[in-house]
Amino acid sequence: MVNCVVRNWDGQETGQQVSLELKVAKEENAAHIVHRALVRQMTNARQGNASTKTRSEVRGGGRKPWRQKGTGRARAGSIRSPLWRGGGVIFGPKPREFNIKMNRKERRLALRTALISREADLIVVEEFGEKLPRPKTKELASAIARWGVKPEAKVLLILHEASETVYLSARNIGNLKMIQATQLNVFDLLNADKIVTTAAAMVKIQEVYGE
């Protein structure tokens, strides 16, 4: 179980606590299953649309460039041979799928394990949508600093529901990524230096991912 103290907009502790109780992998298997889930996510994100043309697909080359014998040159049957400039490509990439399968229970277990492993870097704050009546990147960046995040740190902001003003305020912060509580993924959880979430988002995470 993870217990976190809730901070307000000014960065002060409110005295409230939220808890997160999720089933995680055993210690001896945790790193392995999280690694598998991370490799799966990054591999499945590949488009796999790199393509080259073989000698049968390159335009031209239907005529023999010169006769077989008597010229003193090496014999050649096509100007689109892979040995020629402008010819086909030998063993080049073709469109393919890189998808790796992983059971749903394993994926969710890896996600919960990755989240709990970031307990030391987890910051819980109150809902702050009303603190931003209009989009203001500077105010949100100042609030993040008051919550104890260094300016150069990569931040993952997890919200229950993102209002338009919060979204517009956050999108210009280069080292911040904002997702909803239902969109958690292993890469974002491990890639961030600090994870900032709201109390409502914690409740939603417990509701969606708790078993």
Side-chain angles (χ1 to χ4, degrees):
M1 178 182 291
V2 176
N3 294 318
C4 299
V5 178
V6 181
R7 299 177 181 271
N8 57 20
W9 179 252
D10 298 323
Q12 301 172 348
E13 296 183 358
T14 62
Q16 300 178 352
Q17 282 191 347
V18 291
S19 60
L20 199 61
E21 187 174 3
L22 300 175
K23 181 181 178 182
V24 298
K26 296 181 180 179
E27 185 176 356
E28 58 270 20
N29 300 327
H32 174 65
I33 192 170
V34 171
H35 178 262
R36 283 183 56 212
L38 179 62
V39 170
R40 171 191 171 272
Q41 180 180 344
M42 297 181 68
T43 303
N44 290 0
R46 297 182 64 176
Q47 293 182 340
N49 56 3
S51 181
T52 55
K53 292 184 178 181
T54 64
R55 64 181 298 164
S56 65
E57 297 168 328
V58 177
R59 181 186 175 115
R63 179 176 63 86
K64 188 174 175 65
W66 52 76
R67 67 178 189 264
Q68 183 80 351
K69 293 179 177 293
T71 64
R73 289 178 289 188
R75 54 194 175 187
S78 171
I79 63 173
R80 292 304 177 232
S81 166
L83 304 179
W84 283 51
R85 175 176 169 270
V89 178
I90 305 175
F91 304 130
K94 285 292 184 180
R96 52 171 290 194
E97 290 188 2
F98 290 92
N99 291 347
I100 297 177
K101 294 183 179 180
M102 190 175 182
N103 292 337
R104 181 175 179 270
K105 287 186 177 181
E106 288 183 305
R107 296 199 308 266
R108 290 175 66 88
L109 181 61
L111 183 63
R112 293 193 299 265
T113 304
L115 177 59
I116 296 300
S117 69
R118 302 305 308 275
E119 175 184 359
D121 302 313
L122 186 63
I123 300 173
V124 182
V125 299
E126 292 181 331
E127 290 291 333
F128 55 87
E130 69 279 358
K131 300 292 184 179
L132 296 169
R134 59 190 178 91
K136 198 67 175 177
T137 301
K138 186 176 181 180
E139 293 182 6
L140 180 57
S142 299
I144 293 174
R146 291 194 298 269
W147 293 334
V149 180
K150 295 181 179 179
E152 66 276 7
K154 291 183 291 186
V155 182
L156 178 63
L157 180 60
I158 305 174
L159 302 177
H160 179 256
E161 290 182 356
S163 63
E164 184 177 1
T165 56
V166 175
Y167 168 74
L168 294 175
S169 301
R171 68 177 180 175
N172 285 333
I173 302 177
N175 55 353
L176 182 143
K177 182 173 183 179
M178 183 175 62
I179 61 175
Q180 294 188 2
T182 56
Q183 299 174 338
L184 298 186
N185 61 85
V186 174
F187 178 81
D188 287 338
L189 290 175
L190 298 180
N191 186 52
D193 296 321
K194 292 290 184 179
I195 300 175
V196 178
T197 181
T198 62
M202 289 280 282
V203 175
K204 187 65 175 180
I205 291 173
Q206 180 65 49
E207 176 186 339
V208 174
Y209 301 99
E211 290 184 356

